[in-house]
Each structure stands twice: as structure tokens, then as C-alpha cells.
Amino acid sequence: MSFKTLVAILCLVPVALAQQPAWAQCGGQGWTGGTTCVAGYSCVAQNSYYSQCLPTGTGTGSGTVTSTSGGSSPSATSTTPLNTAAKAAGKKYFGSATDNPELSDSAYVKILSDSTMFGQITPGNSMKWDATEPSRGTFTFTQGDQIANLTKANGQLLRGHNCVWHNQLPSWVTSGNFNAATLSSIITTHCGTVVGHYKGQIYSWDVVNEPFNDDGTFRQDVFYNTLGQDYISIALNAARAADPNAKLYINDYNIEGTGAKSTAMVNLVKSLKAANVPIDGIGVQAHLIVGQVPSTLEANLRQFTALGVEVAITELDIRMTLPATDALLAQQKKDYQTVIAACRAVSGCIGVTIWDYTDKYSWVPSTFSGQGAALPWDANLNKKPAYDGIVAGFAS
Ligand code: G3I
């Protein structure tokens, strides 16, 4: 072997060593090993100490893709923007949730801000109780305002999320041992102030979020345990008084298909209407699983709109067990198409919001271990086959 050949081979060695295998570490503070991954895998930062080779396109909740090597995932071919597709199908919007920390990612914001793609935005966290009234009577709107201002600048609709929810409550609410009269006034002040702050800027509010258990009974949270179901009308009345033009919704998950929880929602809306409590819409969250879209989705949306309220799909994502194979991505495309086609077919289903648009910022992997890839854009902001499914659903 000539000296030249030896040098050439030696030069190749570090490159070969740098290709980390699937799932291996590929970066992080103090890491001296390889920083790229074998074909089909990308190096994704989990935190400042650890980056891991994950299947390209899957990403993690907070992961940042630091390198991608080889392999190619199937991608979308449609060039029709999603809000344009929704409007052509007679809907008010196609939208996305977002969250404040992501707004420093300029490539992400560029896509989010395209109003032909997203005609509506929902703040994923920054209008919730812990963000807006962290201590009693002290209201903070900086983060919510950042998102409201973004939608204004982009000409996008804004959904408010949310007034009253069992989760993300400051401890002064959950541990205050308030009697019914005091808690009622706390709800009225909270919803009145938050909805009032955004008066005129909001298309619709998730006034009450997730009031039911999966068996259709009311969730036993601090509101229900203190006030019974009256807390729902207290919140809705306060919201109506604060912004008469905002559509007021009750929003829940596992009410995509017919069943006990959907029946409970029907009965609640009937009773609110009978009592002249303001209620304009039912939000169907739709945190779904690939291959498991309920077959009764369209029929269920119809039974909701038959109550005389509008319906929106408010938090759509369709997760899978990782890694994201071509077959799973193809099934996911079908599932997105099925969900969108069901909304398209029901005239009172006014719009669809995905719970963020990219796997880079999805809530799924941090909540369901080993699952993810739930959104139509992958963690590198490339469109997945699911994107084509959405376009096809609006066109069908
Ligand atoms: O704000 C703290 C931050 O100070 C702290 O450093 C960090 C450490 O983990 O946590 C931050 O709070 C996180 C919060 O999001 C804001 O980023 C919470 O841990 C985290 O649990 C929380 O998750 C949110 C989740 O609601 C809470 O239940 C998700 O981002 C949000 O997407 C998700 O959204 C809900 C809808 O509101 C209702 N329907 C279900 C949907 C998905 O869970």
C-alpha cells in the first residue's frame, strides 16, 4: 500500500467513527465522540448534556435536530397551503397551537406566520390560569399578548385557551379551601378579567376545558367539588359579559366518537341551553392514535351540531409508536384525511387546529414515552405525508 493510499484511508476513519448508531449518544456537554448518525437517523439534543440519534422525522418535545445524515423519509407532495384548502372547503380556518418559547425559532415562526397556511392560532399555555393569574388578583398578560400580537400582525384568528381547567392551576386556587360563594367570585373575576383583556381580539374561547371523566361523570376537581356543575355556567356567564362577541366553547378530549363522554357533553349543552346559559360551541380536541380514528367521528360531530352549536376540532394530533416507519406515516396520512374529511362533511364544523404543527415542539413524546411523530411537519420542519392527507381531506 502506498503512503498516499494509507493517508487517504486514515482520513476516512474519523468520518466512519463519527457515524453514531441508532439511539446512541451523539452530543452533549463534554461529549467527544461522533456527532452525526447512521442513515435514517438524526442527532437530536435532548438537553445540554445529551443528544441522541433518533429516527429522522421523529424528534422530541424539546429536541433540536443538530445533524441529519443519509436516509430519506417520505415527504408531502402537495403545494396547497392548509388554510387555503380549509377555506376552499367552506371552513373558517385551519390553525395551529403555538407556545412562547418557540417564538425565538425564526424558521418555525416563518411557517407559523403564513396566514395561507394557518388562519388561526391557539396559545398552548400562555392564557391558562397559572400563566395569567399566578397569585390572587395579580394578572399577567405578557406571554398571551405576545401571541395575540403575532396573530394580529399576521392577520390570523385567535382562539383563547382556557378559562377554567383542572390542570395548570396555581396552588392558591387548588389549596385555598374556598367556600362556594368565594370560589364563584374567584371564577367570575378570573374569566371576566382574562376574557375582558382580550375583548375584541378573540374568535372563540375554550371557557371550560375538560369537565368530564371518560365515563361521562363530571371530573372531581376543585371547581366541581365546591360548586357542582354550576361552575360551568358561572364561567360562561362571566365570559359572555366580558366579551359578548367571542364564541364560547366547552372543550374536551375523548369525545371524538360517540360514547358515554360524548353523550355527557350533549346532555350538558342541552341543559345549558335550556337554562339560557351562553354556549356557542363544542371543542373536540382529537389527540388521536395512528390507526385508531373513531369510525363514528362524523356522526358524532353531527349530533353535536344538531344541538344548535358550532363544533371545532381544537387540538388535533395523531401519534404513533416510534420509530416512524413508512407504513406508519402512510397510515397517519390516511388518518389525517379521515379526520379532516369528517369536519369538511359537517357544515357546523367550522375549523381545525393542530396542537402545534411540527414534531419539534409536540407535547406527545414528553407525555407518552416512546410515542411521537404526531404532527404534519417533522422535527426538521419538513412536511410529512400527513400534510397531503389534510389537503386531500379538505378536497374530498
Ligand atoms: O412553565 C414551566 C417552566 O417554568 C419549567 O421550567 C418547565 C420544566 O418542565 O415546565 C414549564 O411548565 C410546562 C408547561 O407545559 C409550559 O411549558 C409543564 O411542565 C408542562 O407539563 C406543560 O405541558 C402542557 C400541558 O398542556 C399541561 O397539561 C403542554 O405544553 C400543552 O401543550 C398541553 O396542552 C393541553 C391542552 O391545554 C388541553 N388539552 C390537552 C393538551 C395536551 O396535554
Side-chain angles (χ1 to χ4, degrees), residues 124-125 128 161 165 167-168 209-210 285 287 315 355 363:
N125 283 302
K128 290 173 178 173
H161 179 82
W165 186 29
N167 203 352
Q168 286 175 288
N209 199 36
E210 302 175 4
Q285 292 187 7
H287 293 293
E315 304 185 13
W355 206 239
W363 70 292

Side-chain angles (χ1 to χ4, degrees), residues 35-44 56-57 65-71 380 382:
T35 54
T36 59
C37 305
V38 291
Y41 286 74
S42 303
C43 186
V44 180
T56 298
V65 178
T66 57
S67 72
T68 304
S69 150
N380 294 317
N382 294 318

Side-chain angles (χ1 to χ4, degrees), residues 40-57:
Y41 286 74
S42 303
C43 186
V44 180
Q46 305 298 309
N47 53 51
S48 51
Y49 302 99
Y50 187 74
S51 298
Q52 188 182 20
C53 289
L54 297 180
T56 298

Side-chain angles (χ1 to χ4, degrees), residues 97-99 101-102 123-126 128 130 143 161-162 165-168 206 209-210 251-253 285 287 314-315 317 355-356 361-364 366-368:
T98 190
D99 205 357
E102 303 153 28
N125 283 302
S126 50
K128 290 173 178 173
D130 60 354
Q143 301 237 299
H161 179 82
N162 53 53
W165 186 29
H166 70 95
N167 203 352
Q168 286 175 288
D206 292 327
N209 199 36
E210 302 175 4
N251 188 47
D252 216 327
Y253 62 88
Q285 292 187 7
H287 293 293
T314 53
E315 304 185 13
D317 49 28
W355 206 239
D356 224 315
Y361 298 123
S362 169
W363 70 292
V364 169
S366 57
T367 303
F368 300 98

Side-chain angles (χ1 to χ4, degrees), residues 250-317:
I250 301 177
N251 188 47
D252 216 327
Y253 62 88
N254 287 352
I255 55 163
E256 292 75 33
T258 53
K261 200 170 184 179
S262 294
T263 302
M265 182 64 91
V266 167
N267 291 336
L268 173 61
V269 169
K270 275 186 186 164
S271 73
L272 292 170
K273 283 190 152 278
N276 282 323
V277 176
I279 175 70
D280 305 309
I282 297 175
V284 174
Q285 292 187 7
H287 293 293
L288 300 173
I289 298 170
V290 162
Q292 296 180 34
V293 176
S295 57
T296 53
L297 174 60
E298 186 182 320
N300 194 46
L301 298 182
R302 283 191 199 285
Q303 76 158 341
F304 286 164
T305 57
L307 298 166
V309 292
E310 62 182 44
V311 163
I313 293 177
T314 53
E315 304 185 13
L316 178 62
D317 49 28

